[in-house]
Amino acid sequence: MTRGNQRDLARDKAAKKAADLQKSKSAAEKEGNKGLSLEARKQRDADLMREKQKLKDLKAAEAAAKK
């Protein structure tokens, strides 16, 4: 009976350790940023935020038009 619990605890501990390793990586080492310079990352993020804001504005305009 206790072996199953021991396995779950070991699995949780391994997952936590993997998450901590991922957190400790610098931005340049993370998978989505490989090969990009700081300026390129900033540009990519700015473009994404502009798109996100544009979609938000469109939804707000549609909601206002329905009222």
Side-chain angles (χ1 to χ4, degrees), residues 29-59:
E29 294 172 340
K30 291 190 178 172
E31 199 61 38
N33 296 333
K34 291 241 178 187
L36 293 176
S37 67
L38 177 62
E39 292 80 20
R41 288 196 310 266
K42 284 184 178 181
Q43 184 63 41
R44 179 198 61 198
D45 294 344
D47 292 341
L48 288 173
M49 292 306 289
R50 278 190 215 101
E51 286 293 321
K52 198 173 179 182
Q53 188 64 40
K54 198 182 293 183
L55 288 174
K56 184 179 175 183
D57 291 343
L58 285 174
K59 285 183 181 179

Side-chain angles (χ1 to χ4, degrees), residues 11-31:
R11 194 174 295 125
D12 291 342
K13 185 178 177 183
K16 183 177 184 228
K17 188 175 180 182
D20 287 344
L21 283 175
Q22 185 67 23
K23 283 183 194 175
S24 67
K25 286 184 178 181
S26 69
E29 294 172 340
K30 291 190 178 172
E31 199 61 38

